[in-house]
Amino acid sequence: MEDKFMQQKIKKILIVILILFVVLTVIAYSVKRGHNFIEKKNVYDNNCSVNNGIATININGYITGYILRAKDGSEPKDEVSSDEVVACINKIAKNNTAKGLILRIDSGGGSPEASEEITNAVKGLNKPTVAVIREAGNSGAYLIASAANRIFASELSTVGSIGVTNSYLDNSQKDIQDGLTFNQLSVGQFKDTQNPDKPLTEDEKTLLMRDVNIMYQVFIQKVADNRKLDVEKVKQLADGSTMLGAQAKADGLIDEIGDINSARAWLKSKIK
């Protein structure tokens, strides 16, 4: 009698184990399908998504190399980092469901190096790309836009600002008025260059303008190459000013007047 009871108990245990196994298998399968579904949609974050075969990245605010997040995990709302944008482009490059990329641009520019990093990543993406300039696509933001296969902008968008600045505020006269003294303790003639609490010497200004001019020439050449424009024509436009969309189209800085819907339609015609 006892043996029969034990057999029944073991049988019940085995049934429970079998049921648990089936349930866990179903859960694992569902999780895997959900994971694959997410990967198929490829929603990495709010600024890097793929829907219906079209990837979208926002280039909003100041362009920087990286964003230093606060301790609570928050980040500035008006900055975009090349670290995150390039990582997103690399993911899009490997995603077979992503057939093309839209860059939604609303930025006055930022770091030359960060802008160049994003530009190179866009050019290296072996998929059709289109840039949509919303309120502004200026300076480094325009450099990024120029790397796209097609650029759309509103008639009211500001475009261009091809130029380089390294200007800063000199506080030295105010310091004197406030009774403050700058004590220079540095080794190397140019170590304290652009310290806001000391006047800029002529030698320091010459050194800084040397680098600004180099960056300026690089900027012009990249825009000319990306937009297939004559370098001399870009030089004429590269006075640091912006222009509205219609003038930018006439000068070859953009291709069409349009918005995000125009860009999607163009991209869909390319990726079929």
Side-chain angles (χ1 to χ4, degrees), residues 39-55:
E39 282 298 311
K40 187 174 182 180
K41 278 199 167 184
N42 215 11
V43 182
Y44 302 112
D45 53 46
N46 293 332
N47 191 31
C48 184
S49 63
V50 177
N51 289 296
N52 298 322
I54 295 178

Side-chain angles (χ1 to χ4, degrees), residues 139-151:
S139 197
Y142 177 73
L143 178 63
I144 294 169
S146 74
N149 301 128
R150 202 77 172 170
I151 304 177

Side-chain angles (χ1 to χ4, degrees), residues 44-48 58 64-88 91:
Y44 302 112
D45 53 46
N46 293 332
N47 191 31
C48 184
N58 297 317
T64 184
Y66 66 95
I67 294 175
L68 184 61
R69 289 178 174 78
K71 291 182 179 180
D72 62 1
S74 63
E75 62 185 52
K77 294 182 179 179
D78 294 325
E79 288 189 1
V80 60
S81 75
S82 59
D83 278 353
E84 294 180 355
V85 173
V86 171
C88 177
K91 290 178 181 179

Side-chain angles (χ1 to χ4, degrees), residues 107-149:
S107 168
S111 161
E113 295 81 4
S115 302
E116 183 185 42
E117 287 179 0
I118 297 174
T119 301
N120 292 339
V122 172
K123 290 182 69 175
L125 181 65
N126 192 26
K127 298 180 182 183
T129 56
V130 56
V132 182
I133 295 175
R134 303 173 69 197
E135 184 175 347
N138 303 327
S139 197
Y142 177 73
L143 178 63
I144 294 169
S146 74
N149 301 128

Side-chain angles (χ1 to χ4, degrees), residues 59-63 105-110 136-142 158 160-161 242:
I59 308 293
N60 295 335
Y62 186 82
I63 302 165
I105 296 174
D106 198 345
S107 168
N138 303 327
S139 197
Y142 177 73
T158 60
S161 186
T242 63

Side-chain angles (χ1 to χ4, degrees), residues 19-261:
I19 292 172
L20 284 173
F21 175 77
V22 172
V23 170
L24 291 174
T25 301
V26 169
I27 291 173
Y29 178 72
S30 299
V31 170
K32 185 176 181 181
R33 284 199 63 183
H35 177 73
N36 289 339
F37 177 75
I38 292 171
E39 282 298 311
K40 187 174 182 180
K41 278 199 167 184
N42 215 11
V43 182
Y44 302 112
D45 53 46
N46 293 332
N47 191 31
C48 184
S49 63
V50 177
N51 289 296
N52 298 322
I54 295 178
T56 303
I57 299 177
N58 297 317
I59 308 293
N60 295 335
Y62 186 82
I63 302 165
T64 184
Y66 66 95
I67 294 175
L68 184 61
R69 289 178 174 78
K71 291 182 179 180
D72 62 1
S74 63
E75 62 185 52
K77 294 182 179 179
D78 294 325
E79 288 189 1
V80 60
S81 75
S82 59
D83 278 353
E84 294 180 355
V85 173
V86 171
C88 177
I89 292 173
N90 290 337
K91 290 178 181 179
I92 291 167
K94 297 174 183 178
N95 186 337
N96 294 329
T97 65
K99 305 301 181 183
L101 170 63
I102 294 177
L103 296 167
R104 297 174 72 247
I105 296 174
D106 198 345
S107 168
S111 161
E113 295 81 4
S115 302
E116 183 185 42
E117 287 179 0
I118 297 174
T119 301
N120 292 339
V122 172
K123 290 182 69 175
L125 181 65
N126 192 26
K127 298 180 182 183
T129 56
V130 56
V132 182
I133 295 175
R134 303 173 69 197
E135 184 175 347
N138 303 327
S139 197
Y142 177 73
L143 178 63
I144 294 169
S146 74
N149 301 128
R150 202 77 172 170
I151 304 177
F152 289 82
S154 164
E155 290 181 318
L156 304 178
S157 301
T158 60
V159 180
S161 186
I162 302 172
V164 179
T165 180
N166 198 13
S167 304
Y168 71 102
L169 187 64
D170 183 341
N171 296 325
S172 58
Q173 292 301 315
K174 185 177 185 303
D175 288 347
I176 292 172
Q177 293 175 2
D178 292 342
L180 303 175
T181 301
F182 177 75
N183 294 311
Q184 187 168 16
L185 299 171
S186 58
V187 178
Q189 180 182 353
F190 300 106
K191 189 63 180 176
D192 284 325
T193 300
Q194 279 190 297
N195 187 311
D197 293 313
K198 64 175 284 295
L200 193 68
T201 68
E202 285 302 315
D203 287 343
E204 289 171 337
K205 184 175 181 179
T206 299
L207 181 71
L208 292 172
M209 287 306 301
R210 177 201 68 185
D211 293 344
V212 166
N213 279 306
I214 291 172
M215 288 189 283
Y216 178 65
Q217 296 302 324
V218 170
F219 195 169
I220 290 172
Q221 188 64 57
K222 285 183 179 294
V223 170
D225 291 344
N226 293 346
R227 295 294 300 163
K228 296 179 174 56
L229 295 172
D230 183 74
V231 171
E232 292 304 316
K233 179 175 183 177
V234 177
K235 281 183 180 179
Q236 293 174 4
L237 301 173
D239 59 2
S241 67
T242 63
M243 61 188 77
L244 296 180
Q247 186 62 52
K249 184 177 184 298
D251 287 330
L253 294 184
I254 69 169
D255 297 294
E256 297 185 48
I257 299 297
D259 56 16
I260 186 69
N261 294 321

Side-chain angles (χ1 to χ4, degrees), residues 257-269:
I257 299 297
D259 56 16
I260 186 69
N261 294 321
S262 310
R264 285 198 184 100
W266 180 86
L267 195 54
K268 286 179 180 179
S269 72

